[in-house]
Each structure stands twice: as C-alpha cells, then as structure tokens.
Amino acid sequence: METGKTAVSGWLLRPAEWHVRWVLGVVLVAAVVRVGLRVPDGGMDNDIVVRAAEAWLDGRSPYADPHFLYLPGAVLAAVPQALLPVDVVRFLVPAGVTAGLVVGWACALRVHGVPWRSRFAAYGLLGLALGFAPFGHLVQLGNWTVGSVAALPLALLLGCRGRWVAAGLVIGAAVAVKPLLAPVVLLFVLARRWRALGAAVGVPVLVSAAAALVMPDPAGFFTRTLPFLLRGEDSFVRLYEASPSAVLARVGVPQTGATLLALCAATAGVWCAWRRWRRGDEGPARTVECAVMLMLSAFLVSRPSYDHYLLVVVPLLLAGVLTPGAVARSPWFWVALVPQVPGFAWPWLEPGTRRAFKDAVTLCLLAGAAGWACASGAWACAAGALCGRCGVGRAGRYPDECRPVRGV
C-alpha cells in the first residue's frame, strides 16, 4: 500500500511491542468486567431482544414490545441467551460485543492492507476503546449493531478481493438479524454484481420467511415495527435519535421541514456515492468510501439513528488514514470526532437525553467530509478530462528541455 510519509507510516506498520498488546488486552477485558458487574441483564438493548425470544418461547408475539426493532430471524438467534443463566449472560454479552468490535477493526485494517499485528492496529483499537464514546456505549448496551460493525468490513474485504457473492451472503446474514446494513445493497447495484445482490436480498427474505412461519404474529414486523419506525413518535426513543430530522424538530423546526432537509442531505449523499463509484480508480478506497457514504446517507434520514451506529463507519475510515487522499486525513474527520471524546462535559449537553445533539454534529460532519472526498475527486477527474480534451496541460513547472531561455 502507498502510505505517503514513509518514516511515520513505516513505524506504525511495524509489529507492536508486547507491552502495547498487553495494555490493549487489559483495557478491553476491564471494559467487559466493568459492564458485567454493573449491568445485570447483559445490556438494555440486548435485553429487549432476549425478552422477545422469551415471549416467543411462551407463545406470545415478540413484536408486542414496540422497542423490538429487529426482523424475525433475531428472535431465533436470541433463543440461546434466553435459555442461559443470567449470571452467564451478563458477562457473555459484553465479551461478545467487544469481540465483534475487534473483528470489525481487524477486517477494516485488512481492507486497507494494514497488518493485524502492527502498531497502528493496536494503537488504533486502543484509541477507539478509550477515546470514542460510542465504543463504550455499545458494549454497555449490548446492542446487536455489533453484528453490522463486524459484517460490513468483512463484506468489503471479500468484495475487494473479488468474492462479491460471499460479500452478499455476509450482508444478507447481517440484515436477516438487524436491517441496519440494508443501504449497502445499493453498492452491489453500483458495482453491477447481480448475483451478490441476489444473495444480499435473498438471505434475509428466506430467513425471515422461515422464522415468521413459527411466530404467533408472522406479520408483526410490518404491522407494528415498521409503522413505529416511520412515525418516530416514541417519546423515549426520540430523545436519543441523532438524525437531523429528529434533532431539528427538538429545537423548533417543523417536523415536515426537518424531514425534508434530512431527505435532501441523504439524497446528496447517495449522489456522492454514485459519483465516487463512477470515478473508477483502483484500490479499496473506492469500495470503502461508497459503502460508508451510503450508510451515512441512511443515518441522516433513518428513524431511529443512534450514536453507536457511527461504529459501522468510523473504523473503516480510520483504518485507511495511512493512505494518501483518505477521508480520515481531512481535518473535518477529526473535528467530527471531538464531540465523542468521553469525559469532557459540554455546556448544556451533559444530560444523557441531550447527547443526541452532539451525535448529530458528528454524523453531519462525517457525512460532509466523506461526501466532499467522494465528490471533489469526481470533479477533479472531470476537470482533468476537460483540460485534456481542450489541449490544456496542468499548471506546474516547465520540464528542463522546455524551460524558456532568458537573456536571448
């Protein structure tokens, strides 16, 4: 891989020392133990899915709980937890979430050609664990978003290696449990990988249909959950939504206007992803930036949209920081992460119900930085093509043989 400044990148790409790995291991294990001691049910969000599985085991509808926002396949996937003792689940869930985050980071590194055992791999994961608040929030909540955090980098790694059908199967398996990665299906459309598209769509359809056959309320996702997502009227959920449509409505913007602004922003994001794909340069950056832009576009308009959704895209962008022209080399990428630094008290935003304002700032700035990287490259290519057609060369120094001779 080309990494620009070879002195710095060369040092980061060397194997990490043993004490760095030990420190990283201690930090991750300590986070798991802390959550296991403080959270008796394995996390509030995980408990919602487990209760849905328990309801199914008792013959009741899992969708009676309006906060269960998953497809029917998640009910069956949560059954093992419903059968385990609580003392096991309370430690098993944060350990599993942490393992999923590590897998996602490892796959993101390999997408960009960075070794797993490198200093950058260790320091990057340590930075996410200590300096990025959604990392700790996801472990504490036990949210099943972690499946998407691991699945998306794995799918992109397979796609970059030409195994698009396998990538489609991975995305389909993740969507079958939680439909968070559904926007990535558009990547297969842009790439014209129709078999991969069929796999990504077919797996969740088959799994959901098979699971629905054993549900007492087989259409519950469409009759209860989907209207709940479209309305976004739940007073509890609204306080934690980072989507501009939710945040702007909280500061007095009419809901219709806020939704329209969010839709315009999401449409612009999809356009940027399309322009980035048409640029057609080689390397993983094209696939990664398109997928990230599609996900960020969905987060701008989706209801709900939580802070831990950022973990689906931030590790992928951060892992490519050693590559020239990467989104993570933009100063706005790092400005976007400032509101997510744990331990800093922001004026008027200290209550947990107000952190959605900080999350919205991060989401919008990340979308802007990624969109600018996608679109500006396309404009540069268009300008270069126009100059080539018109016979105008790029401004720069004269070659020695063409340099004007002064004094003649």
Side-chain angles (χ1 to χ4, degrees), residues 293 327 330 332-333 336 364-374:
M293 197 67 249
V327 176
S330 166
W332 291 107
F333 172 82
C364 292
L365 287 178
L366 280 178
W372 178 260
C374 292

Side-chain angles (χ1 to χ4, degrees), residues 218-258:
F221 180 82
F222 298 98
T223 59
R224 300 187 183 186
T225 300
L226 196 58
F228 174 84
L229 292 173
L230 294 176
R231 289 195 310 266
E233 294 178 354
D234 185 85
S235 58
F236 175 78
V237 171
R238 189 185 304 118
L239 297 175
Y240 300 92
E241 290 184 349
S243 170
S245 59
V247 171
L248 291 175
R250 291 178 64 181
V251 296
V253 178
Q255 186 62 66
T256 303

Side-chain angles (χ1 to χ4, degrees), residues 386-400:
L386 180 61
C387 291
R389 291 180 182 178
C390 299
V392 180
R394 181 178 297 178
R397 298 180 61 185
Y398 286 102
D400 291 338

Side-chain angles (χ1 to χ4, degrees), residues 74-100:
V75 177
L76 302 183
V79 167
Q81 282 193 61
L83 301 177
L84 289 175
V86 176
D87 291 338
V88 175
V89 172
R90 65 188 300 175
F91 289 98
L92 182 63
V93 171
V97 173
T98 303

Side-chain angles (χ1 to χ4, degrees), residues 98-119:
T98 303
L101 290 169
V102 172
V103 170
W105 174 245
C107 292
L109 292 171
R110 295 309 301 148
V111 168
H112 296 282
V114 179
W116 289 332
R117 301 171 64 87
S118 64
R119 288 173 175 149

Side-chain angles (χ1 to χ4, degrees), residues 6 30 36 49 68 88 120 140 155 158 161 165 172 203 209 213 221 292 310 320 337 341 349 351 386 399:
T6 57
V49 190
F68 179 66
V88 175
F120 179 75
Q140 183 173 354
L158 293 170
R161 294 182 176 181
V165 175
V203 169
L213 293 176
F221 180 82
V292 165
L310 298 172
L337 301 186
V341 175
L349 298 179
L386 180 61

Side-chain angles (χ1 to χ4, degrees), residues 30-69:
V32 171
V33 174
R34 180 182 64 85
V35 173
L37 294 175
R38 295 179 58 183
V39 183
D41 52 8
M44 179 179 65
D45 291 355
N46 178 74
D47 187 51
I48 293 174
V49 190
V50 174
R51 288 203 310 266
E54 292 173 345
W56 176 71
L57 291 174
D58 293 339
R60 295 178 284 112
S61 172
Y63 293 100
D65 184 355
H67 294 127
F68 179 66
L69 308 178

Side-chain angles (χ1 to χ4, degrees), residues 119-180:
R119 288 173 175 149
F120 179 75
Y123 286 123
L125 184 56
L126 192 62
L128 287 172
L130 296 178
F132 192 56
F135 190 102
H137 294 166
L138 187 60
V139 177
Q140 183 173 354
L141 292 171
N143 193 281
W144 285 33
T145 296
V146 68
S148 301
V149 174
L152 181 57
L154 176 58
L156 297 183
L157 178 62
L158 293 170
C160 291
R161 294 182 176 181
R163 301 173 61 184
W164 284 97
V165 175
L169 291 173
V170 171
I171 296 296
V175 172
V177 175
K178 183 173 184 176
L180 184 62

